[in-house]
């Protein structure tokens, strides 16, 4: 796992499930940024994160990811999750600042896809504890 992410998680008194979902969600969104795939809906994100997870429950995960990205200075990949009804970004995306979701998506695509130098979650290191 990336040392910045590991240190951040060590400072949080989260349950194993919450930690695991945050790390898995971050990995999913980094892959979307890397591959340049269109944004996904809450429902699609929730299903990829944990089959049967309610889309509303994914909101907490997105908020955790957004807070981490802001704190760590990583591209905020929560801008890749949108409402199916409105096409608007997730609440976690509010932390991207004034640049807006379109610019944030482009920044993430450049970091993870085009330049390939963005800090990544290493999925091989994620176990049942999320670390």
């Amino acid at each position: 796992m990336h040392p910045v992410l590991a240190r951040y998680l060590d400072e949080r008194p989260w349950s194993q499930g919450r930690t695991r979902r945050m790390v898995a969600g971050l990995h999913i969104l980094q892959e979307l940024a890397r591959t340049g795939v269109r944004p996904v809906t809450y429902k699609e994100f929730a299903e990829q994160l944990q089959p049967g997870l309610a889309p509303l429950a994914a909101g907490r995960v997105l908020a955790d990811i957004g807070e981490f990205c802001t704190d760590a200075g990583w591209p905020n990949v929560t801008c890749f999750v949108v409402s199916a009804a409105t096409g608007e970004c997730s609440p976690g995306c509010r932390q991207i600042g004034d640049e807006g979701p379109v610019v944030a998506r482009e920044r993430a695509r450049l970091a993870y896809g085009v330049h390939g130098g963005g800090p990544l979650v290493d999925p091989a290191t994620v176990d049942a504890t999320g670390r």
Side-chain angles (χ1 to χ4, degrees):
M1 177 176 301
H2 194 284
V4 171
L5 178 57
R7 190 170 34 258
Y8 181 86
L9 293 173
D10 285 342
E11 296 170 355
R12 302 294 177 282
W14 293 350
S15 69
Q16 288 181 352
R18 183 175 178 181
T19 298
R20 185 177 22 78
R21 284 186 295 276
M22 186 274 203
V23 171
L26 181 57
H27 174 67
I28 289 166
L29 297 177
Q30 286 177 336
E31 279 298 302
L32 287 173
R34 188 183 67 74
T35 59
V37 175
R38 66 166 177 76
V40 297
T41 65
Y42 284 95
K43 181 178 179 178
E44 291 168 325
F45 175 72
E47 194 61 32
Q48 287 180 38
L49 185 61
Q50 180 179 320
L53 183 67
L56 189 57
R60 175 73 252 167
V61 176
L62 291 166
D64 288 345
I65 293 168
E67 290 168 14
F68 165 72
C69 290
T70 298
D71 187 63
W74 289 19
N76 190 333
V77 290
T78 61
C79 57
F80 284 91
V81 180
V82 298
S83 164
T86 67
E88 296 293 320
C89 284
S90 73
C93 193
R94 290 186 203 134
Q95 298 160 356
I96 61 173
D98 295 334
E99 69 183 3
V102 173
V103 174
R105 274 188 213 111
E106 187 59 25
R107 181 187 311 269
R109 283 189 177 119
L110 286 172
Y112 292 114
V114 175
H115 300 299
L120 294 169
V121 171
D122 180 2
T125 64
V126 179
D127 62 19
T129 66
R131 300 191 180 162

